[in-house]
Amino acid sequence: MKRVLMILAATFMVASVYGQNLRSEDGERVLPQAQDWSIGVDANPFFSYLKGLIGQGNDATTPAFNQLLSNQMITGKYFVEEDMALRASLRVGVRANNVTNKVADRTLTGTVPVFPATTPTVENEYRRTGLTLGLSLGAEKRRGNTRLQGYYGGEVGFLVSGNREEFNYGNALNVSTTKGVSIDPSDEFFTAPTISANNLVNDSYGNAARVTERDFGRTFQLGVRAFIGAEYFIFPKISIGGEFGWGLGFQSTRGAERITESINNSGTPTAQYGLQTTGAGKTNGFVLDTDNANSLFGPAGSLRLNLYF
């Protein structure tokens, strides 16, 4: 019995060493080693490209590196041992967009320019800013000593995002009886396609109003996930794989509000200018499910192309 156990132990050790030193015909190591790094991308564009080359699909379009996760986080691994890796995903996004439009100076209504002077104009400005910050950390344990390897593990992460709009108008509203400026829907404030929502609305009294600030609030996501997967090394340090995940996710959106300005023409004894701040409610969500329904981390069923170096 002791001899059998010794033989089995020796066989395991030889297989382990062989697996760690698995090499191609050119002598290159096939499997990842300790201190190797890895990045993962969506493999589907590469399969579509191959299908096009052999006439089994649409025209062969040059494939591109696409983010593995639907939330566009960049993913990577670091191997502390041949069979143990730390995982991380990161996204840091800061966005800013400005649009300016020239419109007629309505405080000079009735003034006729003298040739060759042009009609006086003022400038309306639109600004949109946004921030997205995401981070996840985890670890995976690997099994197998051949080109086919399995792995399992867990990770935890969060994602925070928000957007804000500001509108600055060259024609300030005023209630003057001689050179008053009211809201005129025919005045093209902002027509650029980058603007997501109309800046002309109504206040709570039914008066025509225009938005000066719009905060879409902050969305916060938090989750923890377990996963299991497999990959096959088609070339040295290059593999195709996929994984399933199951976890707990929480999402909350709050802090949304809108500031508008308007003129109440039915004011007593004269018209009145005013600002209104309107807040929005908050939303909360909870999910305990597989990746397709809990997308904070999961790749939504896409194949992975893993590169090790």
Side-chain angles (χ1 to χ4, degrees), residues 41-231:
V41 298
D42 184 3
N44 289 310
F46 297 91
F47 282 105
S48 297
Y49 178 65
L50 292 175
K51 286 177 61 179
L53 287 179
I54 62 177
Q56 298 299 313
N58 297 327
D59 294 338
T61 303
T62 303
F65 271 29
N66 292 340
Q67 277 89 357
L68 183 62
L69 304 185
S70 58
N71 54 29
Q72 300 182 19
M73 295 175 70
I74 299 172
T75 64
K77 303 177 186 179
Y78 175 72
F79 281 77
V80 293
E81 298 177 2
E82 286 81 0
D83 61 350
M84 182 70 177
L86 302 178
R87 296 161 54 124
S89 298
L90 176 67
R91 179 181 178 186
V92 179
V94 179
R95 301 170 297 280
N97 183 50
N98 284 73
V99 176
T100 58
N101 283 354
K102 295 288 187 179
V103 295
D105 186 346
R106 288 192 283 143
T107 63
L108 301 178
T109 301
T111 302
V112 180
V114 179
F115 181 85
T118 59
T119 301
T121 61
V122 291
E123 188 174 82
N124 291 334
E125 180 183 17
Y126 165 81
R127 177 177 175 82
R128 183 183 177 98
T129 56
L131 171 68
T132 301
L133 175 62
L135 175 66
S136 70
L137 299 171
E140 68 176 40
K141 182 70 173 177
R142 306 176 71 85
R143 295 178 59 87
N145 298 303
T146 65
R147 288 177 180 266
L148 177 62
Q149 291 202 324
Y151 60 89
Y152 58 92
E155 59 187 337
V156 61
F158 72 92
L159 184 74
V160 179
S161 63
N163 292 282
R164 183 181 181 86
E165 291 179 328
E166 296 180 8
F167 299 86
N168 296 306
Y169 304 92
N171 287 305
L173 298 181
N174 70 75
V175 294
S176 170
T177 57
T178 56
K179 294 292 184 180
V181 174
S182 59
I183 295 176
D184 183 358
S186 66
D187 190 1
E188 297 181 357
F189 289 104
F190 303 98
T191 58
T194 53
I195 298 177
S196 61
N198 193 350
N199 62 306
L200 297 179
V201 295
N202 291 325
D203 63 20
S204 62
Y205 293 88
N207 300 303
R210 62 189 188 187
V211 178
T212 59
E213 295 181 34
R214 180 185 284 117
D215 192 332
F216 293 92
R218 267 69 58 195
T219 297
F220 177 77
Q221 292 177 295
L222 176 66
V224 59
R225 169 181 181 259
F227 57 84
I228 185 170
E231 58 183 320

Side-chain angles (χ1 to χ4, degrees), residues 32-39 76-79 86 237 307-309:
Q33 307 296 309
Q35 299 184 352
D36 276 358
W37 294 85
S38 172
I39 58 173
K77 303 177 186 179
Y78 175 72
F79 281 77
L86 302 178
K237 302 295 184 76
L307 309 174
Y308 298 87
F309 48 91

